[in-house]
Amino acid sequence: MRALIERIKREGKCFEGGILKVDKFINHQMDPNLMKQISVELIRRYASTEINKIITVEASGIAPAIMMGFLLDLPVVFAKKKKPSTMENMLSTTVFSFTKQREYHVVISKEYLTKDDKVLFVDDFLAYGNAAKGIIDLCRQAGCELVGMGFIIEKAFQHGREAIEKEGVRCESLAIIESLDNCEIKIRE
Ligand code: 5GP
């Protein structure tokens, strides 16, 4: 997606360990207009697919997810990283975060992810695919249909896509980073 790629080139910053910082427009300060363009493009890519719910993981996935839910008039559910004391029946899985270098649990209420759902998962980044694998596990537990996954930015050199496609799940991303070696952002054109 051209506008996104140009923005990453202009305002993205590279950090040690293969981390891209885009917190000027994606996941800290956010550009709602760009987020709308991102959402419209993800919706276009999944236009021929039946979806009744958007799911994501807190916190950075919530912005594109709510925008897509708004545009499609569909409910949005985010997996929580802490179990609320009021949540009784839940699905739970473990995810390893490489940016934080630790494991965490993610939970979704059984009430909001059921066998009748056809869900599209959305997140800001696809890196090693650990969050995605956790969502695949939650969807299996729920018995719902995971129709696909959509990411704003994919870091191809961390191979998350392979993990997703190996599970038979469709994967779309709007900007593909080929490499962050020597702190130089190389984007697939
Ligand atoms: P994965 O689970 O695919 O290994 O990593 C995806 C998650 O880690 C995303 O939800 C995202 O929040 C975070 N993440 C992974 N790589 C980056 C990165 O380069 N920059 C930022 N800001 N977050 C990242």
Side-chain angles (χ1 to χ4, degrees), residues 17-23 27 57-61 81 95-100 104 121 123-133 151 153 155 157-158 160 180:
I19 294 180
L20 179 66
K21 191 171 169 181
V22 286
D23 70 349
N27 54 19
V57 185
E58 66 175 340
S60 308
K81 291 181 177 167
V95 171
F96 179 77
S97 163
F98 100 97
T99 48
K100 298 197 174 85
Y104 59 92
F121 172 74
D123 205 359
D124 59 344
F125 273 93
L126 171 60
Y128 293 95
N130 292 315
K133 283 191 271 184
F151 300 91
I153 300 171
K155 292 185 291 178
F157 58 93
Q158 291 170 334
L180 294 174

Side-chain angles (χ1 to χ4, degrees), residues 7 10-13 21-31:
R7 196 69 176 267
R10 228 175 34 245
E11 295 180 343
K13 294 213 164 56
K21 191 171 169 181
V22 286
D23 70 349
K24 196 168 178 184
F25 54 103
I26 299 279
N27 54 19
H28 189 22
Q29 175 169 268
M30 291 177 276
D31 178 342

Side-chain angles (χ1 to χ4, degrees), residues 31-166:
D31 178 342
N33 191 283
L34 180 67
M35 205 57 90
K36 182 180 165 201
Q37 293 177 59
I38 285 166
S39 304
V40 167
E41 176 58 18
L42 283 172
I43 288 169
R44 190 187 68 76
R45 294 196 190 192
Y46 281 100
S48 59
T49 315
E50 197 188 334
I51 299 162
N52 76 335
K53 195 169 275 186
I54 308 291
I55 60 170
T56 187
V57 185
E58 66 175 340
S60 308
I62 294 176
I66 195 84
M67 189 71 86
M68 289 177 73
F70 173 74
L71 293 169
L72 291 168
D73 198 15
L74 291 177
V76 176
V77 181
F78 65 91
K80 292 181 176 249
K81 291 181 177 167
K82 271 202 184 120
K83 177 190 170 299
S85 57
T86 51
M87 197 186 281
E88 284 167 334
N89 293 313
M90 59 184 184
L91 307 163
S92 166
T93 195
T94 308
V95 171
F96 179 77
S97 163
F98 100 97
T99 48
K100 298 197 174 85
Q101 285 295 310
R102 65 173 177 85
E103 278 197 335
Y104 59 92
H105 293 286
V106 290
V107 299
I108 287 189
S109 166
K110 282 186 180 169
E111 205 179 335
Y112 304 127
L113 195 62
T114 73
K115 63 175 179 36
D116 300 323
D117 285 323
K118 296 178 194 307
V119 302
L120 175 63
F121 172 74
V122 180
D123 205 359
D124 59 344
F125 273 93
L126 171 60
Y128 293 95
N130 292 315
K133 283 191 271 184
I135 291 297
I136 291 171
D137 183 30
L138 290 178
C139 288
R140 293 233 163 97
Q141 291 178 44
C144 72
E145 189 183 335
L146 178 59
V147 302
M149 298 192 150
F151 300 91
I152 300 177
I153 300 171
E154 171 181 353
K155 292 185 291 178
F157 58 93
Q158 291 170 334
H159 306 293
R161 175 181 287 272
E162 281 95 310
I164 294 169
E165 290 180 343
K166 206 172 86 189

